[in-house]
Amino acid sequence: MAVISKPAFVLAVAALALPVSATAQTEVYYQHDHGTEVSGKAADKFFAKYSGELDAGDACFAAYQIRGMALDQRARPGVSDPDDQEWDSRLEVRQLTLNCMAGNWEWVLGKQQVTWGQGDYFRVLDVVNPLDGRENVLAYIDDFEEGRLPLTMMNATRMLDNGDIQLLLIPEVKAPRLPAVDSEFDLFAGSPVRPNWDKPDSYTAQTMSAALRYRFVAAEDWDLGLYSYYGWDGEPILLSDDEGRPELSQRRKKLAGVSVATPIAGWIVRGDLAYMPGSYVRNQKGEADQADKSSALIGFDYSYSAFTTNIQFARHWLPEKGNVDGARSDQMSFTVSQNFRADRLTLMNNTLSDSESGRTGYLNKLNLIYRLTQEVSVDTGVVQYFGHKRSQFGQFSDNSRLYFKISAQF
């Protein structure tokens, strides 16, 4: 990881704003978070994203996106001194692709993201790109694109009269990005031994991933998709290496799935279903084992005038088998938003919950967005973690915070 200083980051942001293409766009924002359960600065975030397109012939164009982000987080309360700050800064290429049309084929070659399925926050079918976990889910609760890690791949889509077929060949392998050491969302904060990574190498024939999706419309209003994936699991399992030290192991993943979306009585109903045979899990002995996992999601969207709401529910099953303990986990999201003053003012609330083995945790984000101009907006609100102390969200109750954010796009 390349680490840059704050002055260098500011210079990088300025460089990103230089116009080099008529289709370029820059987004810049600064966000300050202030702790509520544990008072004081929780985080500072400096963000700049520069994207655009360049002509590359009659049937092709090049697309690019560069993102600079500096994240200054406090150490995890209760484990380290919360006055300590963990600094993580990166300047990275988020997209660099050659996009071409050839007859009924669309080719997208290079570093990119691929979105699968109908889920908003819960990854039932959206398994192609791993996630950036440095801020828990705060990085992508408003924009999931910011939470995915792009991969270099060949993305070929054949257009059909009633849908399309998409083929992905992915030579690059990435592990999910973990929080900075001892930062507020670091699950290993305070541990004297950090886990090692057991991750396959990229760009070899043995580690290649492949995926196929067939999407079509049935009976006019039913948007259906069939999916298959053979690649790498974005959720590593925690094991021990030969010397007894903790090790995060990234293993192969197989998936077959179905998605559906259709309007019913003024609502949009969406759903995903996935079956993952031979998934690698940690068994009772702390060793890698295999079991067949499955997941399902259903969601409902409704909008009326300036009001919108969305509800999604996901369930994940792991059957008991040999030394593998059976498990079931549930996730739910509920979002409401209302626009005022000719859509210049938005009041929004997002609630996420996660429940497993009787332990339920919640994340609630209430925010108010005011658009000063078409290009500049101000966003403020409160983020609350609560619930069982051993749940996915409840364990971070000390990280509840107030935040203020100012954004500009030009």
Side-chain angles (χ1 to χ4, degrees):
M1 180 188 73
V3 178
I4 57 177
S5 65
K6 285 186 179 180
F9 180 81
V10 173
L11 290 175
V13 170
L16 293 181
L18 294 176
V20 298
S21 169
T23 60
Q25 178 175 328
T26 301
E27 177 185 358
V28 180
Y29 73 73
Y30 164 72
Q31 178 173 323
H32 174 77
D33 293 7
H34 191 88
T36 56
E37 299 294 322
V38 178
S39 186
K41 185 181 79 171
D44 278 327
K45 186 174 181 180
F46 304 84
F47 177 100
K49 183 170 68 177
Y50 183 56
S51 56
E53 297 177 357
L54 298 171
D55 289 337
D58 293 337
C60 299
F61 66 92
Y64 60 89
Q65 185 182 101
I66 303 169
R67 187 181 77 179
M69 188 172 75
L71 185 62
D72 190 11
Q73 296 174 299
R74 68 180 174 191
R76 185 167 183 181
V79 177
S80 303
D81 185 346
D83 291 332
D84 293 341
Q85 299 294 314
E86 306 299 335
W87 176 258
D88 185 358
S89 56
R90 300 167 190 259
L91 184 64
E92 56 188 353
V93 176
R94 298 280 296 170
Q95 180 183 7
L96 186 60
T97 58
L98 179 65
N99 304 48
C100 296
M101 290 296 301
N104 292 326
W105 285 90
E106 180 185 18
W107 297 84
V108 184
L109 309 175
K111 187 179 289 292
Q112 60 191 284
Q113 298 184 36
V114 171
T115 303
W116 271 11
Q118 300 293 338
D120 290 331
Y121 305 109
F122 311 131
R123 286 160 61 89
V124 173
L125 293 175
D126 191 17
V127 298
V128 176
N129 295 86
L131 291 180
D132 184 342
R134 288 176 296 168
E135 300 175 85
N136 192 246
V137 301
L138 297 182
Y140 50 84
I141 192 171
D142 296 323
D143 184 356
F144 213 104
E145 181 179 306
E146 296 304 328
R148 295 191 193 93
L149 299 178
L151 295 173
T152 301
M153 67 179 79
M154 182 200 79
N155 180 352
T157 303
R158 175 70 160 84
M159 306 300 177
L160 305 174
D161 291 339
N162 197 33
D164 60 65
I165 297 176
Q166 180 186 52
L167 171 66
L168 307 176
L169 294 177
I170 311 169
E172 185 177 15
V173 182
K174 274 187 182 177
R177 188 171 289 165
L178 299 182
V181 174
D182 288 341
S183 64
E184 56 182 349
F185 294 112
D186 180 14
L187 295 177
F188 302 98
S191 174
V193 180
R194 304 295 301 181
N196 297 319
W197 269 107
D198 174 22
K199 185 181 80 69
D201 295 327
S202 295
Y203 304 105
T204 70
Q206 293 76 19
T207 59
M208 178 78 72
S209 298
L212 188 67
R213 184 202 67 195
Y214 173 41
R215 188 172 57 186
F216 60 100
V217 177
E220 294 187 2
D221 291 332
W222 290 81
D223 186 353
L224 303 174
L226 304 176
Y227 303 79
S228 63
Y229 173 79
Y230 178 70
W232 295 95
D233 199 332
E235 298 180 4
I237 54 176
L238 181 61
L239 303 172
S240 297
D241 63 16
D242 295 337
E243 299 179 6
R245 295 174 300 185
E247 180 178 77
L248 290 169
S249 181
Q250 195 168 9
R251 300 296 181 98
R252 280 288 191 185
K253 178 175 186 147
K254 293 176 285 187
L255 176 145
V258 180
S259 72
V260 60
T262 187
I264 298 178
W267 292 74
I268 301 296
V269 180
R270 298 185 282 159
D272 288 338
L273 182 64
Y275 175 63
M276 295 151 282
S279 296
Y280 284 92
V281 296
R282 175 187 169 107
N283 65 18
Q284 300 166 353
K285 300 179 180 179
E287 301 170 339
D289 211 327
Q290 290 182 277
D292 298 341
K293 298 167 65 176
S294 54
S295 297
L297 175 143
I298 187 168
F300 305 90
D301 304 323
Y302 178 78
S303 63
Y304 176 76
S305 185
F307 173 81
T308 61
T309 187
N310 166 268
I311 303 170
Q312 291 203 341
F313 176 80
R315 174 164 288 180
H316 311 275
W317 293 272
L318 174 64
E320 184 176 353
K321 175 186 175 184
N323 291 320
V324 176
D325 290 328
R328 190 190 79 187
S329 62
D330 295 329
Q331 297 173 304
M332 188 182 72
S333 68
F334 177 52
T335 303
V336 292
S337 68
Q338 174 73 49
N339 290 332
F340 304 92
R341 297 179 61 86
D343 294 340
R344 294 188 65 180
L345 181 67
T346 300
L347 178 64
M348 179 182 297
N349 193 85
N350 285 307
T351 303
L352 307 182
S353 71
D354 183 274
S355 180
E356 183 175 0
S357 302
R359 302 188 296 267
T360 303
Y362 302 90
L363 165 62
N364 192 83
K365 181 181 180 182
L366 173 66
N367 60 310
L368 185 67
I369 306 168
Y370 184 68
R371 296 163 188 86
L372 299 172
T373 68
Q374 222 173 14
E375 296 80 19
V376 180
S377 64
V378 175
D379 183 350
T380 188
V382 58
V383 176
Q384 293 176 290
Y385 289 92
F386 56 98
H388 196 286
K389 286 293 186 180
R390 293 178 60 195
S391 64
Q392 177 181 339
F393 295 130
Q395 64 182 313
F396 297 125
S397 60
D398 287 340
N399 292 328
S400 297
R401 76 269 313 276
L402 301 167
Y403 77 92
F404 173 81
K405 172 180 173 182
I406 183 166
S407 309
Q409 295 188 17
F410 47 91

